[in-house]
Amino acid sequence: MKLIDILKGVNCEIKGDPNIDISGVCYDSRKSKNKYLFIAIKGFKTDGIFYVEEAIKNGAVAVVTDREIKEYPGITTVLVEDARAAMAKIASNFYNNPTSKLTLIGVTGTNGKTSVTYMLKAILERQNNKVGLVGTIQNMIGDEVIPSVHTTPESLDLQELFSIMVNKGVKYVVMEVSSHSLALNRVDECEFDIAVFTNLSQDHLDFHQNMEEYAKTKGKLFKMAKSASVINIDDKYSSMMIESSKAKVLTYGIKDFAYVMAKDIRNSLSGVKFKVQIEDKKEEISLKIPGIFSVYNALAAITVADFLGISLRSVREALSQVTVKGRFELVETGKDFYVIIDYAHTPDGIQNIMEALKEYKTGRKILLFGAGGDRDKTKRPLMGEVAGKYADFCILTSDNPRSEDPREIISQIEEGIKKTNCPYVVIENRKEAISYALTNAQKDDVIILAGKGHETYQIIGDKVIHFDEREIVKEILSEGGNR
Ligand SMILES: CC(=O)N[C@H]1[C@@H](OP(=O)(O)OP(=O)(O)OC[C@H]2O[C@@H](n3ccc(=O)[nH]c3=O)[C@H](O)[C@@H]2O)O[C@H](CO)[C@@H](O)[C@@H]1O[C@H](C)C(=O)N[C@@H](C)C(=O)N[C@H](CCC(=O)O)C(=O)O
Ligand SMILES: Nc1ncnc2c1ncn2[C@@H]1O[C@H](COP(=O)(O)OP(=O)(O)OP(=O)(O)O)[C@@H](O)[C@H]1O
Ligand SMILES: N[C@H](CCC[C@H](N)C(=O)O)C(=O)O
Ligand SMILES: [Mg+2]
């Protein structure tokens, strides 16, 4: 593809031959190859501009930067306003604007994105569609799994994935849209048909200055969606998303009047049932994932399905089978107590899984959790406090400490739990903490392993070790980890 065609719609100053042939595009010099275009991006840790010469050595023949660089013989340099924003346009051009050939549904919010996308994929597949999915756990093209590094990939990777999906006959794509991606131009140039708002609560305040800025960032998605904005009217930030919406607004909720509402909610450890009402239409819905939060997630998916003209009967059948790895996942132990693996890693997430267990009175609720390192520090005491309010016993341990001191992270959580009367222990090593939970479990207890969910790794420092809590539970129990 000619460079000039790749740069269509990009305001830039070109020095050198604009008609050179480009065989590929990269933003990592280590991935540069013969006749590549290298995009130099200033990052949080380093700056792509330091790697221009490496990219050229690896074969790049053109370089995009947002700051002047020296001239290199035979190399075309392209000066743009903002390299990240330019990359999104370049990516869309290079991969032939694939989202114009898809029905693209973007789901954003602090919690529920993964769950809603899995529900939507099941509903759309029941209509015999080939569905693409982009998200935290994995990316999917129908049943084909492509490992995901990010919840929402960089624009170049995202547009490439979309183009593969189009070539494989995908018609609908459901994707999680993280606030990082909206702030870092990852989803610029994506033609969203429908945008879904789940909720907004504290997370990522290491990245966003405050909740207002976090909300404003999320609001960008609703400015982009062309056909419909599906919004949780019960969330206190719903009005901001409605104000940002360009398209038709469809509301869902439980507390107040909404276009799509849930009535007669019956919750249990094995799932939740409710009646959904859309104007004069009603249907009994049954979900395998319990909790009011699951009802909200299902209402979001049902609202999208209704907008797409899919019958409630078909929606009911699809939703009844949906499970999501690491979201309220019951682990078979063969013992007289329960073990649940869940991905709750925010104060609101913890509150919601514990609320889902509120009616469960038979045994104790033992909550084991930590908090991610190099993430929002201010949520840690709040997580401790909400955990202490709901659990009968807490075990504070590590999640993914990353570059932080695990004991420091735990002590910040402790600040919150100390405000409650909840008894707790601190066991920094997560495997030892799980062993402690299982060894001390009593009949009918519910042990919740929270924060890692689907993750099969633990990030300590710059090391990533294999860590699958399902395997660890089975291993401990098989070694007699309980009577
Ligand atoms: C905060 C953040 O989002 N950081 C992302 C960012 O890293 P960065 O800006 O630090 O990049 P950098 O290391 O400074 O490098 C700058 C540039 O130099 C280039 N480079 C670097 C080295 C080299 O030898 N050659 C070279 O060309 C890099 O390719 C990059 O373009 O760009 C990197 C390359 O794309 C991402 O991998 C990285 O994600 C990090 C790993 C991350 O943890 N991101 C998380 C916070 C994230 O994005 N999370 C959201 C939400 C999660 C959720 O709530 O579910 C997500 O969507 O996943
Ligand atoms: N609608 C919801 N409201 C609050 N908490 C929820 C909701 N849905 C799920 N949760 C809780 O949050 C956890 C994460 O859910 P999910 O993975 O669907 O969210 P997400 O938005 O994709 O998260 P992330 O931003 O990390 O990708 C779940 O394990 C559950 O504990
Ligand atoms: N166990 C993870 C959960 C959060 C992952 C994701 N929401 C992010 O912020 O990257 C952690 O905190 O390390
Ligand atoms: Mg997710």
Side-chain angles (χ1 to χ4, degrees), residues 211-267:
M211 285 302 288
E212 282 316 297
E213 197 267 325
Y214 181 25
K216 248 171 66 206
T217 304
K218 292 279 188 190
K220 285 181 184 172
L221 180 63
F222 299 91
K223 291 190 168 72
M224 297 171 77
K226 295 181 299 188
S227 309
S229 288
V230 171
I231 294 179
N232 171 2
I233 195 72
D234 293 346
D235 187 274
K236 69 177 191 172
Y237 287 92
S238 56
S239 49
M240 275 182 83
M241 306 307 152
I242 292 171
E243 274 151 42
S244 305
S245 294
K246 186 175 77 178
K248 176 183 171 104
V249 172
L250 298 169
T251 59
Y252 67 90
I254 298 176
K255 294 187 193 121
D256 301 323
F257 176 76
Y259 173 61
V260 177
M261 292 185 286
K263 305 281 180 203
D264 184 20
I265 298 172
R266 288 142 277 146
N267 190 35

Side-chain angles (χ1 to χ4, degrees), residues 151-166:
T151 289
T152 311
E154 294 287 2
S155 57
L156 193 63
D157 307 315
L158 187 57
Q159 296 291 341
E160 180 185 19
L161 181 58
F162 287 145
S163 69
I164 296 167
M165 289 177 175
V166 168

